[in-house]
Amino acid sequence: MSILKRILIILFLSLPISHSFAAMFSYVQETDLDDENFAVGDIRFNPDGTKMFLLSQNNKDDFAAIYEYNLSKPFDISTKSYTGDSERCILTNGGDDDLNTNTAFGLDFTDDGMKIFVGNGALNGRADGDRVYRFDLTSPYDVSTCSFVNQTSNLDTLALQNGSNAGDREAAIRKNVLRGIEISNDGTKLFTIFHEFGGTPDQTRLLEYQLSTPFDLTTISLVLTAGIELQAQTANPKGLRFSPDGKRLWTVDHQNDATGKDITQISLDVAFSTASFTIDGTVSISANNAQPSGIAFSTNGLKMFVGGDDTREVEEYHLVCPFNIISGKCPPITENKDRTGIAMAQIEIAKRAIDQSTDTALNRLKWIRRNKDKQNLTNLNIDFNFNNQRLASLTEVIKTSANNKKTARNKKDHDVFYWSEGSIAIGRVGDTSISSTKKIDSNRITLGADKFISNKALRGLAFSVGRNNVDVGTKGSNLDTDTYNITYYDTTPIKDDTKFLDKIFGFGKLNSDLLTVLDGKKLTADRSGYQLYGTIRIKDEIEKNNFTFIPSGRFDIGHTMLGSYEETGQGAIAVDEQHIRTRKIRAGLAAVENLSNNQYTFKRHGKIEYVADIERSSDFKYNYVSDGGTKFNDKLYSGALHNINGEIGVDIILPENFSIFLIYERNQALGVGHTDNLHIAIGYLPNKKTNYSIFLDGTDDTKTNYVISKNINDFLIDFKLTSHLMRPEEYEEASFNLRRKF
């Protein structure tokens, strides 16, 4: 770039500017092409931005070609390296109407990178030159493997030019030139820009064609109900580009005077249909480009690239918001699947935190009911041994008294049962029309304690810490969320010993780290929130031999409030406070089989459950940080209305006071995706086998040994004292022992 040009750019950028250019995109850099010695006719990139393709308008070898460059950093043109002449695609159909070097305008790839379409415009009175050509590749985006397939007929005919909403060509003289092309994703639509110069005024038209056979250029016909007149926006177009969703398009003005050097943006009401449209506006890039030629965007739309045919260069611009250069016209984030996936993942994690906290408490209650025969938490055993026969006669009296005290203690005081549960959840939510694939990885640890408040009722408290990770798409976007939950639970009988009412109430906190990757640029943010939730479940127990069948009904309710946050980085958004509600109705049937023996308690169980998620939507309100005047409110839906949950598991109670249960659970959201959960819980009953013994070993000479022994889970603690009954103040021997019983 010349020194004079650099000075002009600096002066331009420092001046107050009223149009949208200053606000919505900014010039970053350019790369010169003097070494390759050709002017740019159009620009394209492969999806990951590691390859740049340039269509030559004029060329040192005097033939049209597509040049390939490697980019060591995606969509960073400063890192380009030319792959060499051997990697070019030489554009020829082997006939007399080969592409003319000076009139190769318009380049497009299919999404899979296996087909190329190139436009050719007629100049200098050439009578048969306005055509579109198709070339196929044997390897995606390897243009060196290109081979000619077919082409349109000459487009400069009345049947293929006149009668549409774009207006008719002037027939006085042949001066109609094709200057840009684009093909729809499905290959059924072809769009062209035609410039008819020499008239009064010069006419510019965008025409829409139908391909009756996708991607087959020989099946072309003009769509009469479509098309756009553009002479008021661009006098000399050279380049045409659509957004990936087909809802927005751009063309550049190649005119080298005060009226040119512009980019025009148009929004379409229907994707890839010019039947109904809005011209958003036109902005100038004259400070950076003398004669623009060709336009392209990065995959996620935060970078724009414009070629220059007189200066042989490509320029890079950064946009405030994706696929937009006009103030107040930023698109919603739902037009970017990774962005939408991050927003939806926040909703799903909030709901999952409630489900996991509730399910963990209910798992504990289900274990209690399955193993109610093992819940004697006060095994206090007392024994007496008297060698002195005169004292031995008192044994039964003392035992009776001790047992009476034990019963009284059981009525007013019960032991606390401590338990813990670890859970692992993995899942996948498939790609949708608005959201990228989400891979879910969740880990959770819960500590709890509970006690019986009567022979049939129990209450408890659990504390959970969870870590949730969701990978969105394939570009590195990610959501990490830590959850903290306190959950109260209880169960009470509502009829005899089989029907129970379970109640859950809880409070939670969420802390999230958000990472959105767009065009290799990282946008980061932190977000926190709080949640309240509750559950009521009614169940019955029906015993048949060794089986117990448990039908149940359940209602879940919850409310999560996520705070506002603002991203940092190019294309950042500011998000308002968000409220996420949970309402679910469930109906399930569980079965338990008892396979216990004298030594171990072993039970296996399973469940099938239908879940209706009747509160799935949440309003996601935001604006782009650099375009605060436009507010968006996207209603996002998570999960599915109809869901099927299934689980299988086992309970194991060991003689050493430990209990274990394992559950594998599949949550299938019909038509959406699934999560798999593995629950592992361990329980411990302290002092369950504690025994107290008092030994009075007396002799006729009144010399007596007092021994107090306590057995705590097979650890024996002994205290021995030897004295005379008649002289209790005198002690001959005292000892203390600790030993392990195996």
Side-chain angles (χ1 to χ4, degrees):
M1 183 188 297
S2 67
I3 295 177
L4 178 60
K5 187 175 181 180
R6 295 180 185 274
I7 293 174
L8 290 174
I9 291 173
I10 294 172
L11 289 174
F12 179 83
L13 294 176
S14 62
L15 293 174
I17 303 174
S18 59
H19 54 60
S20 59
F21 168 76
M24 302 310 297
F25 66 91
S26 58
Y27 171 83
V28 177
Q29 61 183 341
E30 69 181 39
T31 182
D32 295 325
L33 304 171
D34 290 338
D35 292 342
E36 288 77 54
N37 193 31
F38 68 86
V40 178
D42 210 347
I43 312 166
R44 274 296 198 184
F45 295 84
N46 69 336
D48 65 7
T50 59
K51 289 186 177 184
M52 178 175 67
F53 305 94
L54 301 179
L55 176 66
S56 63
Q57 179 182 330
N58 53 53
N59 173 291
K60 60 184 179 181
D61 296 321
D62 293 326
F63 53 72
I66 300 172
Y67 290 77
E68 179 180 326
Y69 296 81
N70 290 328
L71 304 181
S72 59
K73 187 176 181 180
F75 295 109
D76 186 346
I77 60 176
S78 68
T79 66
K80 72 174 178 65
S81 61
Y82 180 48
T83 58
D85 289 352
S86 63
E87 299 298 315
R88 297 177 297 181
C89 171
I90 306 301
L91 299 172
T92 177
N93 67 354
D96 294 334
D97 55 349
D98 283 354
L99 278 78
N100 188 286
T101 301
N102 292 315
T103 58
F105 303 131
L107 171 65
D108 198 14
F109 287 78
T110 54
D111 289 346
D112 62 1
M114 297 297 290
K115 300 178 181 65
I116 298 175
F117 296 86
V118 179
N120 191 52
L123 286 177
N124 304 321
R126 189 176 179 182
D128 191 23
D130 291 311
R131 297 178 183 269
V132 180
Y133 298 78
R134 169 182 160 184
F135 299 83
D136 283 3
L137 310 180
T138 60
S139 179
Y141 296 99
D142 184 0
V143 296
S144 66
T145 66
C146 68
S147 60
F148 173 78
V149 177
N150 57 32
Q151 64 189 45
T152 66
S153 58
N154 179 31
L155 298 178
D156 194 11
T157 66
L158 294 180
L160 294 175
Q161 286 282 315
N162 293 353
S164 76
N165 292 343
D168 297 340
R169 62 180 292 274
E170 296 181 3
I173 55 175
R174 183 173 296 280
K175 51 189 177 300
N176 207 37
V177 182
L178 189 154
R179 304 297 289 265
I181 67 164
E182 179 100 357
I183 195 162
S184 62
N185 300 333
D186 62 1
T188 62
K189 295 283 190 69
L190 177 69
F191 302 86
T192 64
I193 286 280
F194 276 93
H195 176 215
E196 187 174 310
F197 58 94
T200 308
D202 290 347
Q203 187 178 19
T204 299
R205 298 179 298 143
L206 190 156
L207 299 179
E208 180 179 323
Y209 298 90
Q210 184 76 35
L211 302 179
S212 58
T213 301
F215 304 109
D216 186 350
L217 298 175
T218 66
T219 64
I220 192 170
S221 61
L222 182 66
V223 180
L224 300 181
T225 57
I228 306 174
E229 293 185 5
L230 288 173
Q231 56 265 28
Q233 285 73 38
T234 175
N236 186 7
K238 198 171 181 183
L240 173 65
R241 191 65 67 236
F242 278 71
S243 61
D245 64 357
K247 298 293 292 292
R248 190 165 282 181
L249 65 88
W250 300 262
T251 183
V252 296
D253 193 342
H254 182 250
Q255 190 76 12
N256 189 17
D257 58 32
T259 64
K261 311 171 190 177
D262 294 332
I263 302 175
T264 297
Q265 176 174 298
I266 301 173
S267 293
L268 308 179
D269 293 339
V270 179
F272 294 107
S273 173
T274 57
S276 180
F277 60 89
T278 301
I279 297 178
D280 297 330
T282 299
V283 297
S284 174
I285 56 171
S286 60
N288 309 104
N289 198 316
Q291 287 189 283
S293 177
I295 183 172
F297 293 85
S298 59
T299 301
N300 287 307
L302 286 174
K303 290 184 177 182
M304 180 177 68
F305 304 88
V306 180
D309 65 359
D310 65 331
T311 53
R312 291 177 169 84
E313 65 189 20
V314 177
E315 295 154 358
E316 178 182 328
Y317 300 83
H318 286 184
L319 277 61
V320 167
C321 57
F323 299 107
N324 177 64
I325 61 173
I326 305 298
S327 180
K329 297 293 183 178
C330 284
I333 63 167
T334 50
E335 294 188 9
N336 182 286
K337 288 189 171 184
D338 285 3
R339 268 212 175 279
T340 308
I342 288 291
M344 294 179 64
Q346 297 177 64
I347 301 173
E348 292 161 0
I349 285 179
K351 290 178 171 287
R352 190 179 306 118
I354 291 176
D355 287 344
Q356 290 178 331
S357 298
T358 301
D359 289 344
T360 297
L362 290 176
N363 285 341
R364 169 61 184 160
L365 293 178
K366 288 188 288 186
W367 189 94
I368 290 288
R369 296 304 307 160
R370 290 194 300 265
N371 300 282
K372 55 183 180 291
D373 56 320
K374 299 294 181 180
Q375 296 310 300
N376 181 8
L377 305 183
T378 56
N379 288 334
L380 180 63
N381 300 312
I382 302 176
D383 194 18
F384 298 87
N385 184 9
F386 296 98
N387 291 337
N388 189 307
Q389 294 299 313
R390 288 177 296 181
L391 298 177
S393 61
L394 301 175
T395 298
E396 293 303 320
V397 176
I398 297 174
K399 283 186 176 182
T400 300
S401 177
N403 286 329
N404 290 336
K405 292 182 179 180
K406 171 187 172 182
T407 302
R409 179 180 184 269
N410 287 342
K411 290 182 178 180
K412 66 180 181 180
D413 187 21
H414 295 266
D415 293 337
V416 176
F417 195 107
Y418 302 98
W419 59 276
S420 64
E421 179 183 306
S423 64
I424 300 172
I426 57 175
R428 182 181 184 274
V429 179
D431 185 84
T432 69
S433 60
I434 63 169
S435 175
S436 300
T437 298
K438 296 187 287 292
K439 297 179 180 179
I440 303 163
D441 182 8
S442 177
N443 303 294
R444 191 176 185 89
I445 184 73
T446 302
L447 301 176
D450 48 44
K451 65 185 297 183
F452 282 95
I453 55 178
S454 70
N455 291 334
K456 299 176 182 179
L458 176 138
R459 62 188 177 194
L461 197 67
F463 174 73
S464 301
V465 178
R467 178 75 172 178
N468 300 267
N469 179 274
V470 181
D471 292 327
V472 179
T474 59
K475 306 298 183 182
S477 296
N478 177 270
L479 175 65
D480 281 328
T481 302
D482 294 325
T483 60
Y484 308 90
N485 295 83
I486 297 176
T487 305
Y488 167 84
Y489 58 93
D490 70 43
T491 182
T492 54
I494 55 176
K495 187 178 180 180
D496 51 56
D497 198 24
T498 65
K499 297 179 175 61
F500 282 80
L501 176 66
D502 299 333
K503 300 183 293 294
I504 304 277
F505 305 99
F507 170 81
K509 187 177 188 305
L510 305 91
N511 293 323
S512 297
D513 294 326
L514 293 83
L515 172 63
T516 305
V517 181
L518 302 177
D519 293 335
K521 301 289 186 180
K522 296 181 178 180
L523 292 85
T524 60
D526 299 326
R527 195 179 202 185
S528 61
Y530 300 90
Q531 55 188 190
L532 294 171
Y533 50 91
T535 290
I536 295 177
R537 181 179 66 177
I538 299 175
K539 60 182 180 179
D540 194 6
E541 299 176 357
I542 304 170
E543 296 187 1
K544 298 286 186 181
N545 298 322
N546 287 336
F547 287 89
T548 302
F549 299 94
I550 308 171
S552 64
R554 173 178 161 186
F555 177 67
D556 302 331
I557 189 170
H559 186 104
T560 302
M561 191 282 291
L562 298 179
S564 61
Y565 70 92
E566 183 175 304
E567 293 177 333
T568 58
Q570 184 191 347
I573 59 174
V575 180
D576 294 350
E577 183 180 281
Q578 184 179 4
H579 295 269
I580 303 167
R581 296 173 178 83
T582 298
R583 283 191 299 160
K584 295 180 179 180
I585 299 175
R586 304 169 186 253
L589 177 65
V592 181
E593 183 182 15
N594 190 351
L595 300 173
S596 304
N597 55 37
N598 293 331
Q599 186 176 7
Y600 297 97
T601 296
F602 183 87
K603 297 179 181 181
R604 58 187 180 187
H605 44 86
K607 182 190 74 172
I608 187 73
E609 182 181 55
Y610 167 77
V611 183
D613 189 351
I614 56 179
E615 189 77 62
R616 297 183 298 118
S617 67
S618 177
D619 291 334
F620 192 78
K621 301 177 182 179
Y622 62 96
N623 63 270
Y624 288 90
V625 174
S626 299
D627 190 28
T630 303
K631 282 284 189 177
F632 295 89
N633 184 6
D634 294 334
K635 187 173 289 294
L636 301 179
Y637 290 83
S638 63
L641 173 60
H642 303 291
N643 305 265
I644 299 295
N645 294 347
E647 70 176 45
I648 55 174
V650 295
D651 294 348
I652 304 173
I653 300 179
L654 304 174
E656 292 81 12
N657 305 330
F658 287 95
S659 62
I660 301 172
F661 83 78
L662 306 173
I663 293 179
Y664 166 74
E665 181 182 16
R666 164 62 67 95
N667 301 317
Q668 187 71 52
L670 301 184
V672 176
H674 70 273
T675 53
D676 295 310
N677 301 278
L678 180 63
H679 302 269
I680 304 173
I682 298 175
Y684 174 65
L685 182 60
N687 298 332
K688 183 177 179 181
K689 297 177 63 179
T690 299
N691 300 306
Y692 296 90
S693 299
I694 301 175
F695 300 90
L696 179 60
D697 190 10
T699 63
D700 291 337
D701 62 1
T702 67
K703 187 175 182 179
T704 306
N705 295 320
Y706 296 90
V707 180
I708 301 175
S709 177
K710 187 175 183 180
N711 181 338
I712 304 177
N713 298 336
D714 293 329
F715 285 92
L716 304 178
I717 303 174
D718 294 334
F719 176 74
K720 183 178 181 181
L721 184 65
T722 303
S723 66
H724 291 274
L725 284 176
M726 304 305 295
R727 300 191 300 275
E729 72 279 0
E730 297 182 10
Y731 305 101
E732 294 185 357
E733 182 182 355
S735 62
F736 178 84
N737 298 292
L738 174 64
R739 59 187 187 274
R740 179 73 164 90
K741 182 181 179 181
F742 296 95

